[in-house]
């Protein structure tokens, strides 16, 4: 039985604020592109995920048993339930842009069972313009976070799928070939293909797939040489259009093409892309087109989207010099017989949206604040780094501190 690790995720104030600030920047960028935020249930029916092919592996789901005996799962994915809800709501006559920031729960090799994703889904548009829009949104979001340098690798499942169909490989052979191509192991790929019953021309084309990466113009030109049918030509045309659109977005410097990017081919139906930055060997975002996912809910709706791995982003974002945790605006100390006056003073200052800490005079602590007020019988002693003044009424000190803003 797998040991799911739900520990080590407590966010103390500084870490929480750091993550919150990153999420706010991402949410704001999503909003500026017209994406409206939604939420999916934390618990879902196990059957919904187990019946959807090519997505979440059943063993990776975190399962719970409802008192009724029904098997539920903690949300292992966001795109699947959003797609199901979209189909069931019969909204497929319109374009819809959705965004989300949600925790997903899934076992992986690091034993960390949950993580935060921030992503978008664009339904109803199968055009290259939609593909380019979500890629541009991902790039703008990374620029907002001042993550540099970064690169988005853009691929497409179509050419490789067509070559596979021509090769007529069984499931085991396909899996082996996938792994070799993804690792760009050229010698092993060639050796593996030599043992298969496929013609030499097809073998050479498959061997070229891992080499189709780098400058988009060059990759498109070399991919054109592999085209043998209408479907493959459509792929090349799509790549050319997306590249042209991203150039118009003035984002050419942030992208490269990689037609060996073939992960999750049963899920993605067209454009695939991943985001990478220095000092981390895994993608910080993944996305692509998944027009066929809705078919598993009995309706075909074009869709494209991506998701940031927020926790990975946090490992590469450089924080500014200003501390995230701000010390209190006011520290109010009071003697027991002045407690009511101190509480009233604190409430009035808090109503002005100031951060106020209050404590008895006899409590010894190292709390710091920009301003300190000592409440005594008939007096309020105010001091900060610039002045020290005594006031004789609560109205006087309120007028002073609130006027200072």
């Amino acid at each position: 039985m797998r040991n799911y690790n739900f520990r080590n995720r407590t966010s103390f104030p500084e870490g929480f604020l750091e993550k919150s600030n990153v999420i706010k920047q991402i949410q704001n960028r999503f909003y500026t592109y017209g994406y409206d935020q939604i939420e999916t249930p934390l618990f879902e029916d196990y059957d919904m995920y187990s019946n959807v092919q090519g997505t979440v592996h059943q063993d990776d789901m975190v399962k719970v048993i409802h008192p009724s005996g029904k098997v539920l799962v903690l949300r292992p994915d966001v795109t699947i339930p959003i797609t199901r809800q979209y189909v069931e709501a019969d909204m497929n006559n319109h374009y819809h842009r959705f965004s989300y920031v949600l925790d997903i729960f899934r076992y992986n090799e690091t034993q960390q069972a949950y993580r935060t994703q921030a992503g978008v889904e664009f339904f109803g548009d199968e055009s290259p313009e939609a593909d380019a829009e979500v890629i541009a949104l991902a790039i703008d979001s990374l620029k907002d976070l001042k993550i540099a340098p970064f690169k988005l690798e853009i691929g497409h499942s179509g050419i490789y799928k067509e070559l596979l169909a021509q090769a007529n490989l069984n499931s085991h052979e396909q899996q082996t070939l996938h792994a070799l191509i993804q690792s760009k192991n050229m010698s092993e790929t060639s050796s593996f293909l030599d043992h298969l019953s496929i013609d030499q021309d097809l073998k050479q084309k498959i061997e070229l797939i891992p080499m189709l990466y780098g400058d988009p113009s060059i990759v498109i030109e070399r991919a054109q040489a592999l085209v043998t049918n209408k479907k493959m030509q459509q792929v090349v045309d799509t790549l050319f259009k997306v590249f042209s659109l991203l150039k118009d977005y003035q984002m050419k410097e942030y992208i490269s093409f990689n037609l060996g990017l073939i992960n999750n081919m049963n899920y993605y139906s067209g454009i695939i892309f991943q985001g990478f930055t220095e000092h981390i060997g895994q993608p910080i975002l993944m996305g692509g087109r998944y027009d066929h996912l809705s078919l598993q809910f009995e309706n075909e709706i074009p869709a494209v989207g991506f998701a940031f791995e927020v926790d990975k982003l946090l490992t590469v974002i450089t924080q500014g010099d200003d501390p995230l945790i701000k010390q209190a605006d006011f520290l109010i100390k009071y003697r027991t017989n002045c407690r009511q006056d101190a509480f009233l003073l604190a409430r009035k200052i808090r109503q002005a949206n100031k951060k106020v800490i209050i404590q008895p005079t006899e409590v010894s602590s190292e709390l710091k604040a920009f301003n300190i007020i000592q409440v005594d019988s008939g007096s309020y002693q105010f001091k900060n780094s610039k002045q020290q003044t005594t006031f004789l009424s609560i109205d006087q000190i309120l007028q002073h501190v609130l006027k200072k803003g």
Side-chain angles (χ1 to χ4, degrees), residues 146-213:
K146 296 180 172 58
I147 293 178
F150 69 85
K151 207 79 167 178
L152 260 67
E153 287 190 354
I154 301 172
H156 196 295
S157 62
I159 290 180
Y160 180 65
K161 282 183 176 180
E162 284 298 307
L163 294 176
L164 275 184
Q166 296 174 30
N168 195 28
L169 305 183
N170 62 40
S171 176
H172 176 71
E173 290 169 339
Q174 287 186 29
Q175 290 178 8
T176 302
L177 185 57
H178 291 351
L180 291 172
I181 289 179
Q182 284 184 295
S183 65
K184 297 190 184 301
N185 191 329
M186 301 305 299
S187 61
E188 288 294 327
T189 300
S190 179
S191 176
F192 174 75
L193 291 171
D194 283 339
H195 290 82
L196 301 178
S197 300
I198 59 176
D199 65 62
Q200 189 65 20
D201 180 62
L202 179 57
K203 172 182 177 295
Q204 290 176 351
K205 288 181 177 180
I206 294 175
E207 287 178 337
L208 283 175
I209 292 293
M211 305 304 295
L212 296 177
Y213 69 93

Side-chain angles (χ1 to χ4, degrees), residues 283-325:
I284 54 177
L285 74 92
M286 295 180 65
R289 177 162 288 281
Y290 49 96
D291 293 346
H292 304 323
L293 177 61
S294 56
L295 278 175
Q296 305 200 49
F297 302 106
E298 301 181 350
N299 196 347
E300 186 170 13
I301 301 169
V304 61
F306 71 86
F308 285 114
E309 294 290 345
V310 175
D311 301 291
K312 290 180 183 177
L313 290 176
L314 291 171
T315 67
V316 296
I317 292 175
T318 301
Q319 297 299 318
D321 295 331
D322 294 335
L324 292 174
I325 304 298

Side-chain angles (χ1 to χ4, degrees), residues 316-335:
V316 296
I317 292 175
T318 301
Q319 297 299 318
D321 295 331
D322 294 335
L324 292 174
I325 304 298
K326 305 294 185 183
Q327 68 181 33
D329 297 304
F330 294 90
L331 171 60
I332 299 177
K333 296 185 174 185
Y334 64 89
R335 300 190 188 281

Side-chain angles (χ1 to χ4, degrees), residues 38 60 82 125 189 239 246 285 290 346 377:
I38 60 174
D60 293 343
I82 291 178
D125 190 342
T189 300
L239 289 170
L246 290 171
L285 74 92
Y290 49 96
S377 298

